[in-house]
Amino acid sequence: MAYFDILFFAIVAVVLILRLRTVLGRRNEDEPRRPNPFGIPPAGKEEEDEEFAVSPAHEMAIPEGRRQALPPPILAPDSLAGGIEQVRRLDPLFDEKQFLAGAKSAFSMIVSAFAQNDMGALRSLLGPEVYAAFGKAVEARMAAGVKLETGIHAIKEAELTRVKLAGDVARLTVRFVSEQSNAAYDKDGALTDGDPQRREEIEDIWVFARNLKQSDPAWLLVETGNQ
């Protein structure tokens, strides 16, 4: 009886082993090992996937002939940087810092000449429309015997805020913040407005224009405003 029991359990054990092999399977000698999803990729994996993903190190090793040149960044024409880029295409010598330095000098000269009724000095600094408007103001002031006294003590800010190109003509908007003292006197010399001893901060928005195709490098004041 014991002999048949041993034989029965031996047969059951063999059947269970065969079933387990059928479910789990066995790896043949030539079958690749199943990858471990939580493990480190084996050595040489980068070479197998090089067609689909290139690491920075691999990218440096790509021959120059196989690389595609990246296009230059495109700047929006309406943006300040895009406008400056357009101006430089027509005038490669344009320099923003140099322009602003000239604009600050022009600001002081124009304000002083206008206060002194010096239309001759203003002729080379103003566009036709602004020159005509300033001329009317000067004529009215002189007819009334009014004397204007203006002092510019400091230009605190000169900021290029907008660049607009219409054909070959560039219009550059500059925001000035200056410290000024202003006073007006009647024909008898009596103070009628302002205070020559009081300094105030004034913000002006001026627009300068120039035809970039012309040899004359001068920028003319074509529009004024203040806040």
Side-chain angles (χ1 to χ4, degrees):
M1 184 66 178
Y3 172 79
F4 286 105
D5 290 339
I6 294 173
L7 180 61
F8 172 78
F9 287 116
I11 293 173
V12 171
V14 171
V15 171
L16 289 176
I17 292 172
L18 290 175
R19 287 188 175 181
L20 284 173
R21 286 186 175 182
T22 302
V23 174
L24 299 177
R26 290 184 299 173
R27 185 175 65 86
N28 299 326
E29 294 300 328
D30 57 347
E31 182 183 354
R33 186 180 300 275
R34 294 184 178 90
N36 181 354
F38 301 102
I40 300 175
K45 184 64 177 177
E46 292 80 5
E47 286 76 8
E48 296 176 6
D49 295 339
E50 187 173 3
E51 182 180 355
F52 304 99
V54 180
S55 66
H58 283 78
E59 186 177 6
M60 295 297 293
I62 296 176
E64 291 293 335
R66 293 179 57 189
R67 292 187 184 179
Q68 293 183 352
L70 295 176
I74 300 176
L75 301 175
D78 293 337
S79 68
L80 181 59
I84 293 175
E85 182 183 51
Q86 288 182 311
V87 170
R88 285 176 178 163
R89 287 178 182 176
L90 294 177
D91 181 9
L93 297 179
F94 175 78
D95 181 83
E96 180 183 351
K97 292 183 178 180
Q98 184 177 354
F99 166 80
L100 288 175
K104 290 172 67 175
S105 297
F107 180 84
S108 298
M109 293 170 61
I110 291 171
V111 171
S112 297
F114 179 70
Q116 297 169 10
N117 302 333
D118 189 351
M119 295 302 298
L122 292 174
R123 186 179 298 278
S124 61
L125 300 171
L126 308 180
E129 294 183 0
V130 176
Y131 181 81
F134 277 30
K136 290 181 180 180
V138 168
E139 288 178 2
R141 194 165 61 211
M142 293 179 66
V146 176
K147 179 183 177 182
L148 186 64
E149 182 180 305
T150 297
I152 299 178
H153 305 283
I155 298 178
K156 295 183 176 181
E157 296 181 41
E159 176 189 10
L160 183 61
T161 60
R162 187 183 181 190
V163 176
K164 186 177 181 180
L165 205 63
D168 297 331
V169 178
R171 294 171 61 94
L172 276 59
T173 303
V174 181
R175 170 180 169 269
F176 295 100
V177 178
S178 61
E179 186 179 284
Q180 301 182 22
S181 58
N182 292 279
Y185 303 87
D186 62 17
K187 60 182 180 180
D188 297 323
L191 180 66
T192 59
D193 190 23
D195 183 352
Q197 302 301 321
R198 185 181 75 245
R199 298 184 180 186
E200 55 183 343
E201 188 175 278
I202 299 177
E203 180 176 346
D204 290 275
I205 306 297
W206 284 14
V207 180
F208 296 88
R210 176 186 161 221
N211 189 322
L212 301 176
K213 288 295 185 179
Q214 294 181 353
S215 58
D216 187 359
W219 292 84
L220 301 180
L221 176 64
V222 298
E223 187 177 334
T224 63
N226 63 333
Q227 296 182 359

